Amino acid sequence: MILTGPGIAAAVATGEISIDPFEPARLSPNAYDWRLGETLRICDGDLDAARPTTFTETTIPATGTVLEPGVLYLGMTYEKTGSETYAQMLNGDRTTGSLGIWVHVSAPLGHVGHAIRWTLEIRATKRVRVYPRMTFGKLIFLATAGDRASYQREGAKYAATEGIDISRLYTELAGGPR
């Protein structure tokens, strides 16, 4: 079951959902409109799942920055969101999609208990200028069924994420750094 906008607002008011900063005007009928943060990591060279990704980090100026096709950018949400009651699903939306921006296609699920600024995978089909804090997608909250287990349990791979995070798959692959 997806929470409605008023349901999200009520859950924020009771503390069941945290959205920081929270702006009621960003609520839509079934979602919260999240924004792009102010930092991008540009992945350097070829990527190897058995090795940590190298990157260059840049701050998006107020005048914006142009995303280039064929480049993998890692960004983060401006808002920090979480809930010990609801799972979250983060996606791009029609407005960014209409600009040829693919965002967060591979990992939209936020587990119960995961309170983070989301790391975003961003690709552009054409050159496109983006700006810090621009609306970039929709976040929905989903009711869960069954016993809940918080993602913050010890040992969860990304439980301690602070800001933009590279893939940690290399920690699982034989022959990669440990």
Side-chain angles (χ1 to χ4, degrees), residues 7 14 27 35 38 45 47 54 59-60 76 82 89 94 97 100 103 117 125 131 137-138 141 158-159 173 177:
T14 64
L27 288 166
R35 294 172 285 181
E38 299 170 346
L47 303 177
T54 59
T59 299
I60 305 170
M76 70 178 169
M89 185 133 339
R94 185 186 179 291
V103 61
R117 283 191 166 74
T125 59
Y131 300 87
K138 302 240 180 243
F141 291 88
Y158 297 100
L173 296 172

Coordinates of all heavy atoms in Angstrom, one line a residue, residues 7 14 27 35 38 45 47 54 59-60 76 82 89 94 97 100 103 117 125 131 137-138 141 158-159 173 177:
G7 N -1.2 11.3 3.9 CA -0.7 10.2 4.8 C 0.8 10.4 5.1 O 1.2 10.2 6.3
T14 N 3.9 12.7 13.2 CA 4.0 11.7 14.3 C 5.4 11.2 14.5 O 5.6 10.5 15.4 CB 3.0 10.5 14.1 OG1 3.4 9.8 13.0 CG2 1.6 11.0 14.0
L27 N 4.6 17.9 -1.3 CA 3.8 16.7 -1.4 C 2.9 16.7 -2.6 O 2.4 17.7 -3.0 CB 2.9 16.6 -0.1 CG 3.6 16.3 1.2 CD1 2.7 16.7 2.4 CD2 4.1 14.9 1.2
R35 N 14.7 16.5 -4.1 CA 15.6 17.4 -4.9 C 17.0 16.8 -5.0 O 17.4 16.1 -4.1 CB 15.7 18.8 -4.2 CG 14.3 19.5 -4.3 CD 14.3 20.8 -3.5 NE 14.2 20.4 -2.1 CZ 14.1 21.3 -1.1 NH1 14.2 22.6 -1.4 NH2 14.0 20.9 0.1
E38 N 23.8 19.0 -3.8 CA 24.7 20.0 -4.3 C 26.1 19.5 -4.8 O 27.0 20.2 -5.2 CB 24.9 21.1 -3.2 CG 23.6 21.8 -2.9 CD 23.7 22.7 -1.6 OE1 24.7 22.6 -0.9 OE2 22.8 23.5 -1.5
G45 N 37.1 6.7 -15.7 CA 37.6 5.6 -16.5 C 36.6 4.4 -16.4 O 35.4 4.5 -16.2
L47 N 34.9 1.0 -15.1 CA 34.5 0.5 -13.8 C 34.8 -1.0 -13.7 O 34.7 -1.7 -14.7 CB 33.0 0.8 -13.7 CG 32.6 2.2 -13.8 CD1 31.1 2.4 -13.7 CD2 33.3 3.1 -12.8
T54 N 37.0 4.8 -8.8 CA 37.6 6.1 -8.6 C 36.7 7.2 -9.2 O 35.9 6.9 -10.1 CB 39.0 6.1 -9.3 OG1 38.8 5.9 -10.7 CG2 39.9 5.1 -8.7
T59 N 31.2 20.3 -6.7 CA 30.0 21.0 -6.2 C 29.3 21.6 -7.4 O 29.9 22.2 -8.3 CB 30.4 22.1 -5.2 OG1 31.1 21.5 -4.1 CG2 29.2 22.8 -4.7
I60 N 28.0 21.4 -7.5 CA 27.2 22.0 -8.5 C 27.0 23.5 -8.2 O 26.4 23.8 -7.2 CB 25.8 21.3 -8.7 CG1 26.0 19.8 -8.8 CG2 25.0 21.9 -9.8 CD1 24.7 19.0 -8.7
M76 N 23.5 12.9 -4.8 CA 22.7 12.5 -3.7 C 21.5 13.4 -3.5 O 21.4 14.5 -4.1 CB 23.5 12.6 -2.4 CG 23.9 14.0 -1.9 SD 24.9 13.8 -0.4 CE 25.5 15.5 -0.3
G82 N 13.8 8.8 5.9 CA 13.9 7.5 6.6 C 12.6 7.2 7.4 O 11.8 8.1 7.6
M89 N 10.5 4.1 -1.7 CA 10.9 3.9 -3.1 C 11.2 5.2 -3.7 O 10.3 6.1 -3.8 CB 9.8 3.1 -3.9 CG 10.2 2.8 -5.2 SD 10.0 1.1 -5.8 CE 9.8 0.1 -4.5
R94 N 8.6 12.3 -14.4 CA 8.4 12.7 -15.7 C 9.2 14.0 -16.1 O 9.7 14.1 -17.2 CB 6.9 13.0 -16.0 CG 6.6 13.3 -17.4 CD 5.1 13.7 -17.5 NE 4.8 14.1 -18.9 CZ 5.2 15.1 -19.5 NH1 6.0 16.0 -19.0 NH2 4.8 15.4 -20.8
G97 N 12.8 12.9 -16.6 CA 12.8 11.9 -17.7 C 12.6 12.6 -19.1 O 13.2 12.3 -20.1
G100 N 15.7 13.7 -20.6 CA 16.6 12.7 -21.0 C 17.5 12.3 -19.8 O 18.6 11.7 -20.0
V103 N 17.6 8.5 -13.7 CA 18.1 8.6 -12.3 C 17.6 7.5 -11.5 O 16.4 7.1 -11.5 CB 17.7 10.0 -11.7 CG1 16.2 10.2 -11.6 CG2 18.3 10.2 -10.3
R117 N 20.6 10.3 3.1 CA 20.6 11.1 1.8 C 20.9 10.0 0.8 O 22.0 9.5 0.9 CB 21.6 12.2 1.9 CG 21.1 13.4 2.7 CD 22.0 14.6 2.5 NE 21.3 15.8 3.0 CZ 21.2 16.1 4.3 NH1 21.7 15.3 5.2 NH2 20.5 17.1 4.7
T125 N 20.9 11.3 -21.5 CA 20.9 10.8 -22.9 C 21.4 11.9 -23.9 O 21.9 11.6 -25.0 CB 19.5 10.4 -23.3 OG1 18.6 11.5 -23.2 CG2 19.0 9.2 -22.5
Y131 N 20.8 21.7 -11.8 CA 21.0 22.7 -10.8 C 20.9 22.1 -9.4 O 20.1 21.2 -9.2 CB 20.0 23.9 -11.0 CG 20.1 24.6 -12.3 CD1 19.4 24.1 -13.4 CD2 20.9 25.6 -12.5 CE1 19.5 24.6 -14.7 CE2 21.0 26.2 -13.8 CZ 20.3 25.7 -14.8 OH 20.4 26.3 -16.1
G137 N 12.8 14.1 -8.6 CA 12.1 12.8 -8.6 C 11.0 12.8 -7.6 O 10.7 13.8 -6.9
K138 N 10.5 11.6 -7.4 CA 9.4 11.3 -6.4 C 9.9 10.2 -5.5 O 10.5 9.3 -5.8 CB 8.2 10.8 -7.2 CG 7.7 11.8 -8.2 CD 6.3 12.3 -7.8 CE 5.8 13.3 -8.9 NZ 5.5 14.5 -8.3
F141 N 6.2 6.1 0.0 CA 6.4 5.3 1.2 C 5.4 4.2 1.1 O 4.2 4.4 0.8 CB 6.1 6.2 2.4 CG 7.2 7.2 2.6 CD1 7.1 8.5 2.0 CD2 8.3 6.9 3.4 CE1 8.1 9.4 2.2 CE2 9.3 7.9 3.6 CZ 9.2 9.1 3.0
Y158 N 25.3 -0.9 3.6 CA 25.2 0.6 3.4 C 24.6 1.3 4.6 O 24.2 2.4 4.5 CB 24.5 0.9 2.1 CG 25.2 0.4 0.9 CD1 24.8 -0.7 0.3 CD2 26.3 1.1 0.4 CE1 25.5 -1.2 -0.9 CE2 27.0 0.6 -0.7 CZ 26.6 -0.5 -1.4 OH 27.2 -1.0 -2.5
A159 N 24.5 0.6 5.8 CA 23.8 1.2 6.9 C 24.5 2.5 7.4 O 23.8 3.4 7.9 CB 23.8 0.2 8.1
L173 N 33.4 -9.8 -3.8 CA 34.0 -10.6 -4.9 C 35.4 -11.1 -4.5 O 36.2 -10.4 -4.0 CB 34.1 -9.7 -6.1 CG 32.8 -9.2 -6.7 CD1 33.0 -8.2 -7.7 CD2 32.0 -10.4 -7.2
P177 N 39.8 -6.3 -3.3 CA 40.2 -5.8 -2.0 C 39.2 -6.1 -0.9 O 38.0 -6.0 -1.2 CB 40.4 -4.3 -2.2 CG 40.2 -4.0 -3.6 CD 39.7 -5.2 -4.3

